[in-house]
């Protein structure tokens, strides 16, 4: 849609000066090019409602600013071949990181969202020699991804980091993640910004998995859904009206601490160092260590939850018992989430859900259907790759576009 005519005000009340209106048209065009890929001047004019001369001036302006570039021609049509234009990938680059108990994964993408470099730094949380080196390790991961892309830190416009736990907006402290020594410093975000020289966003990893699911996965057609993450840690992301629910301290969705029958209570609070795995609640029933133990109780020995569930799926009798009990536990926790939030969809993600697959989903659905609750649709995540890293990249690119695409 074209900007309002001169004399009107923009939606935020800013007078509709020619400069502001040009910036609005620029942003609309850039968003269309980002969403649709290469477009001709004529097609861009049709989509924005701009005249051909105005669309031509706009493209010339954006090309001069380094935001768009010509890329080939439309062929096979009568008349002259029309020039195609696309977002200039080099207009900005961003970094995204996913932190887990074994290390840090980093990826660098251009402004179109195309990944151009990746790197992994091994950094077990049990290695006490790494405590206090968090900023150094993050920089090492980012530098490795930048090197793979042939870039350096000066090319970055922003960084998004996905970690277990949540950053308390009141204190700047990472909570609900006592198993990540070195990440609880109140000055951590400033330390990282000083090293990388970019704005830093630290976001809950499960929230980022939900962002990935919302834009690239099985939740694309839903404005109200819950993503339940069952892995080494257990958590949830709640999306209502298309917006993530974070809570007053950033702890919305920390269902790993949720007290349930059959699980020890999580004592000592979300930051208790004595409880590195949550210490109790739902996580003690469905997290990876619990799945390994459940399988062992039924005679299935496996070093990881994924291998335990793979074995259970092909072991009649004992394997059926493992899957049935795990489904009962998952459904019991989901019942609490569904009763409070009433989502249209629940997405199961993480190592436990992926390994259990459709068989586990069906068993969970059967258990959940037997409860007197709203009955949301239940799906397994279909994201290919690391959903936390994908979500972090999505957010980083969106943040960068808000800055780089603003030509006002």
């Amino acid at each position: 849609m074209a900007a309002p005519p001169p004399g009107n005000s923009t939606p935020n009340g800013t007078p509709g000066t020619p400069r502001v209106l040009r910036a609005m048209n620029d942003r609309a065009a850039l968003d269309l090019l980002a969403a649709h890929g290469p477009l001709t001047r004529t097609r861009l004019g049709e989509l924005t409602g701009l005249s051909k001369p105005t669309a031509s001036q706009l493209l010339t302006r954006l090309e001069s600013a380094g935001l768009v570039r010509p890329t080939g021609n439309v062929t096979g049509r009568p008349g002259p071949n029309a020039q195609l234009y696309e977002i200039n990938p080099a207009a900005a680059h961003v970094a995204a990181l996913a932190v887990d108990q074994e290390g840090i994964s980093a990826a660098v993408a251009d402004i179109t969202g195309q990944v151009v470099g990746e790197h992994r730094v091994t950094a077990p949380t049990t290695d006490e020699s790494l405590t206090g080196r968090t900023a150094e390790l993050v920089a090492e991961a980012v530098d490795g991804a930048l090197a793979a892309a042939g870039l350096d830190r000066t090319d970055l416009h922003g960084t998004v980091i996905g970690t277990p736990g949540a950053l308390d907006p009141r204190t700047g402290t990472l909570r609900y993640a006592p198993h990540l020594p070195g990440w609880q410093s109140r000055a951590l975000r400033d330390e990282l910004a000083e090293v990388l020289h970019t704005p830093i966003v630290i976001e809950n990893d499960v929230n980022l998995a939900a962002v990935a699911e919302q834009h690239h996965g099985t939740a694309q057609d839903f404005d109200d859904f819950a993503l339940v993450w069952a892995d080494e840690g257990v958590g949830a992301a709640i999306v209502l009206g298309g917006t993530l629910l974070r809570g007053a301290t950033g702890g919305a969705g920390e269902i790993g601490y949720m007290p349930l029958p059959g699980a020890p209570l999580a004592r000592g609070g979300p930051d208790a160092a004595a409880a590195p795995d949550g210490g109790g609640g739902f996580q003690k029933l469905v997290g990876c260590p619990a799945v390994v133990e459940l399988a062992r109780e039924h005679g299935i020995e496996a070093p990881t939850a994924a291998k335990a569930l793979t074995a259970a799926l092909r072991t009649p009798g004992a394997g059926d018992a493992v899957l049935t009990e795990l489904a009962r536990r998952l459904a019991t926790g989901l019942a609490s989430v569904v009763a409070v939030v009433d989502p249209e969809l629940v997405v199961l993600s993480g190592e436990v859900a992926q390994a259990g697959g459709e068989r586990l989903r069906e068993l969970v659905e059967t258990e959940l259907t037997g409860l007197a609750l709203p009955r949301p649709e239940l799906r397994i995540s279909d994201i290919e790759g690391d959903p936390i890293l994908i979500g972090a990249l999505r957010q980083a690119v969106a943040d960068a576009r808000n800055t780089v695409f603003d030509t006002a």
Side-chain angles (χ1 to χ4, degrees):
M1 180 181 296
N8 287 3
S9 294
T10 57
N12 63 4
T14 303
T17 64
R19 179 181 179 182
V20 171
L21 297 178
R22 281 197 301 269
M24 291 175 64
N25 287 333
D26 289 349
R27 180 60 194 261
L30 288 165
D31 285 341
L32 286 167
L33 288 168
H36 296 281
L39 296 171
T40 64
R41 180 202 62 183
T42 299
R43 182 57 180 153
L44 192 61
E46 292 171 350
L47 291 172
T48 58
L50 299 173
S51 67
K52 289 183 178 180
T54 301
S56 293
Q57 292 170 6
L58 178 151
L59 286 169
T60 298
R61 185 166 63 248
L62 294 180
E63 186 176 357
S64 297
L67 294 176
V68 303
R69 67 182 186 183
T71 174
N73 301 87
V74 176
T75 60
R77 296 182 180 179
N81 293 334
Q83 176 71 61
L84 287 165
Y85 292 87
E86 67 177 2
I87 298 292
N88 180 5
H93 290 87
V94 297
L97 298 95
V99 180
D100 57 54
Q101 295 186 54
E102 297 301 321
I104 303 171
S105 296
V108 170
D110 61 36
I111 196 69
T112 71
Q114 179 67 41
V115 175
V116 294
E118 297 180 272
H119 189 67
R120 170 80 175 173
V121 171
T122 300
T125 57
T126 54
D127 187 346
E128 295 182 359
S129 69
L130 299 178
T131 302
R133 294 180 55 201
T134 301
E136 178 185 339
L137 293 169
V138 168
E140 182 182 343
V142 171
D143 285 344
L146 286 168
L151 304 170
D152 59 40
R153 294 182 193 177
T154 61
D155 294 300
L156 286 182
H157 282 69
T159 303
V160 173
I161 304 173
T163 74
L167 203 69
D168 190 325
R170 303 172 303 181
T171 66
T173 302
L174 187 70
R175 306 186 71 207
Y176 307 97
H179 58 294
L180 291 180
W183 285 83
Q184 278 77 33
S185 168
R186 293 190 178 189
L188 179 61
R189 185 159 50 187
D190 292 337
E191 292 169 2
L192 294 173
E194 184 177 352
V195 169
L196 297 178
H197 305 293
T198 74
I200 301 290
V201 174
I202 300 176
E203 177 63 275
N204 173 261
D205 53 0
V206 180
N207 281 350
L208 292 174
V211 169
E213 210 68 54
Q214 185 178 22
H215 294 283
H216 305 287
T218 192
Q220 289 183 70
D221 298 325
F222 295 83
D223 290 328
D224 299 278
F225 72 93
L227 181 140
V228 174
W229 180 269
D231 206 290
E232 289 294 331
V234 174
I238 311 298
V239 176
L240 299 177
T243 302
L244 273 167
L245 179 68
R246 288 185 169 83
T249 65
E254 290 292 342
I255 61 173
Y257 296 90
M258 189 166 59
L260 290 176
L265 294 176
R267 301 287 187 181
D271 307 313
D277 61 354
F282 192 31
Q283 182 160 301
K284 282 291 187 180
L285 296 179
V286 300
C288 285
V291 173
V292 171
E293 179 59 30
L294 175 62
R296 184 178 295 119
E297 291 172 1
H298 289 83
I300 298 176
E301 295 286 342
T304 67
K307 290 183 178 180
L309 290 172
T310 298
L313 287 167
R314 60 172 184 253
T315 306
D320 296 333
V322 170
L323 292 165
T324 299
E325 172 59 17
L326 178 58
R328 184 193 67 77
R329 295 178 183 184
L330 281 166
T332 301
L334 288 179
S336 297
V337 176
V338 170
V340 173
V341 180
D342 188 18
E344 187 179 1
L345 169 72
V346 172
V347 180
L348 298 178
S349 190
E351 180 180 328
V352 172
Q354 293 297 323
E358 185 61 20
R359 172 80 183 285
L360 180 61
R361 187 205 66 80
E362 291 174 354
L363 290 169
V364 173
E365 185 174 59
T366 299
E367 289 284 341
L368 196 59
T369 300
L371 302 174
L373 293 164
R375 295 171 183 173
E377 186 172 346
L378 190 65
R379 297 180 180 178
I380 297 287
S381 170
D382 62 1
I383 293 288
E384 294 184 7
D386 183 345
I388 298 167
L389 202 57
I390 292 170
L393 280 169
R394 170 80 191 192
Q395 182 170 331
V397 169
D399 292 346
R401 287 177 182 174
N402 285 338
T403 301
V404 176
F405 286 0
D406 183 358
T407 61

